[in-house]
Amino acid sequence: MNHRILVFASISIVAVVILLIYWYLPDQSEQNLTFDALNGLLREDLSKQNVAMSSPVRLQSQEAIAKYCSLFSDERQQSLVKYCTSTELKDAKGKFLGNIHMVGSGEMPQVVMTLIQTDPLMSELDTVKTVFHTVIDDVVCKCWEDIRPSGMSSPNDWIDGLKQFHQSDTQPHSRSTQLKLGQKTIQLELTTNNDGYLWQLFIYS
């Protein structure tokens, strides 16, 4: 399978706990889309922002999931993954940006992970903001400006805050506080790696 997938740090214990809790809760969010519908919506909306999203690679067999979608270090957590889709993101010049992974146990994705690699200067930060804002709008709701979680006027404030925190610390990995938006939980993580910085947006249903 010729599908490029970013390698990223294992999800933290906190994220594992959140996932296991929310996995069994009914989906009461504003968005209630199937894998195909959500991938299609994201592809359409990201294209309007000059970000190309590939058609999803669908992984359903245990062999394929174990090889290409083994995203969780906890065996019990990973065993809950019965279906996974993965897509590539590229900029207007065709440069690879990252991936969007969706995993779940049924027709609806229960975790959506968006990963974008930036250079050491974070030259692609505007793209990170554009992609993350679009993903939040489509996966959760177009409601950030109304709810203003933690008093932040937009996802850009959230991203800038984590950037400032991460660059003022010496740790290679930072994570934001968890925010409740609509009926979903969202969290940002930022990791320093050999190529610069890996931005990670997690959305839990």
Side-chain angles (χ1 to χ4, degrees), residues 165-192:
F165 173 80
H166 184 79
Q167 293 185 328
S168 66
D169 198 5
T170 58
Q171 299 300 315
H173 185 76
S174 301
R175 69 176 60 88
S176 72
T177 56
Q178 303 146 19
L179 299 179
K180 191 72 173 179
L181 188 65
Q183 297 296 322
K184 298 183 187 287
T185 297
I186 60 178
Q187 187 167 35
L188 278 180
E189 299 194 14
L190 181 56
T191 302
T192 302

Side-chain angles (χ1 to χ4, degrees), residues 46-60:
L46 286 170
S47 69
K48 298 174 184 177
Q49 306 296 332
N50 296 314
V51 174
M53 176 176 165
S54 69
S55 298
V57 173
R58 296 173 177 84
L59 306 170
Q60 195 165 9

